[in-house]
Amino acid sequence: MVLNIAAYHFVAIDDPRALADALHARAAAAGLRGTLLVAPEGLNLFLAGAPTALRGFLDQLRADPRFATLKAKQSHSATVPFARLKAKVKPEIITFGHAGTAPLGRGRAPAVSPHDLARWLDQGCDDAGRPVVLLDTRNQEEVGHGSFVGALTLPITDFTQLPDALAPHRPALAGATVVSFCTGGVRCEKAALWMGDTGMANVLQLEGGILGYFEQVGGRHYDGACFVFDQRVALRPDLSPVAAQD
């Protein structure tokens, strides 16, 4: 059985190229495949391999104080869903194009846990009695595989288009608690910070994204599967791959 992880971590990195090269060498030595994205604002990882080897890689990464609190979403597959191992250096770990939307020196965006979100959806409001609007920050292709029931989805093909696409909806969201969500958390964290910076109140991110929700809650209030960035194509709420069985 192959272990798959998706993880991101915002932290200042002085020499992204050196870190990318070091992590690539370490992952290659462990027989891992996938993608390592390194930027001045942090890391974004999608890796797969033998469970012992991948967990050892994560343990070694967390031994670095910068990454001690890195969290990884886990799933399993019969085969490695990546063709090779790649390490990339980019300006952002996910391109958004709005300065100040990485939580460096300012703290993370407020978050709601998967269990609390499921409870809010069960009761039809948050704990303050406000209606809850789920905002899907992913693109149309990803949304096509599944999303939360009743979520606000936007006609975008790229994350950078989200601000313009959201603009017509902002007045209607004024009295609601808006929970942004994405696959693993990195886009909804940036989106939540940007929304707060641009005057929206009561904005939260879904802690751990859809994959974290699947791990903790399953498929309650979710319709379909979650697109992932590898050969499995999408994962069901039980984290089984759609491509391998359909």
Side-chain angles (χ1 to χ4, degrees):
M1 185 65 70
V2 172
L3 176 64
N4 301 267
I5 66 103
Y8 76 95
H9 190 74
F10 285 109
V11 66
I13 297 176
D14 294 332
D15 192 341
R17 180 75 268 168
L19 180 61
D21 291 344
L23 293 180
H24 184 276
R26 196 181 301 167
L32 307 180
R33 282 186 263 168
T35 301
L36 301 149
L37 296 177
V38 186
E41 66 181 14
L43 297 177
N44 200 4
L45 312 176
F46 303 92
L47 294 170
T52 300
L54 184 45
R55 292 190 179 105
F57 174 87
L58 289 174
D59 287 343
Q60 192 173 3
L61 181 60
R62 291 176 179 130
D64 183 328
R66 294 175 296 177
F67 310 115
T69 59
L70 179 141
K71 298 178 181 179
K73 276 73 67 178
Q74 299 186 11
S75 58
H76 294 86
S77 56
T79 59
V80 175
F82 299 99
R84 58 194 179 95
L85 176 66
K86 299 180 288 185
K88 300 179 180 180
V89 174
K90 294 193 171 185
E92 300 178 73
I93 58 174
I94 183 69
T95 301
F96 191 38
H98 291 268
T101 53
L104 302 180
R106 60 175 297 176
R108 300 186 64 219
V112 59
S113 73
H115 286 291
D116 281 342
L117 177 61
R119 180 171 56 81
W120 289 355
L121 296 176
D122 286 343
Q123 67 193 27
C125 62
D126 69 7
D127 291 335
R130 288 186 294 265
V132 175
V133 175
L134 288 160
L135 171 63
D136 200 327
T137 64
R138 302 171 302 155
N139 65 45
Q140 288 177 297
E141 179 185 359
E142 296 169 81
V143 171
H145 291 271
S147 187
F148 282 98
V149 176
L152 172 59
T153 61
L154 302 172
I156 62 175
T157 58
D158 188 271
F159 185 45
T160 59
Q161 299 168 349
L162 183 142
D164 288 342
L166 182 62
H169 301 278
R170 289 173 70 117
L173 300 176
T177 291
V178 178
V179 178
S180 65
F181 68 92
C182 59
T183 306
V186 62
R187 282 176 287 184
C188 53
E189 178 147 8
K190 284 200 168 193
L193 286 170
W194 171 81
M195 286 187 283
D197 287 347
T198 55
M200 292 181 65
N202 304 317
V203 174
L204 305 171
Q205 60 170 316
L206 173 58
E207 187 68 49
I210 299 168
L211 296 181
Y213 187 92
F214 283 179
E215 280 187 347
Q216 296 185 39
V217 176
R220 207 158 95 227
H221 301 289
Y222 195 91
D223 182 23
C226 177
F227 179 88
V228 290
F229 302 90
D230 59 53
Q231 294 168 2
R232 294 172 297 172
V233 181
L235 299 182
R236 297 184 178 90
D238 64 1
L239 298 176
S240 63
V242 171
Q245 300 179 25
D246 290 353

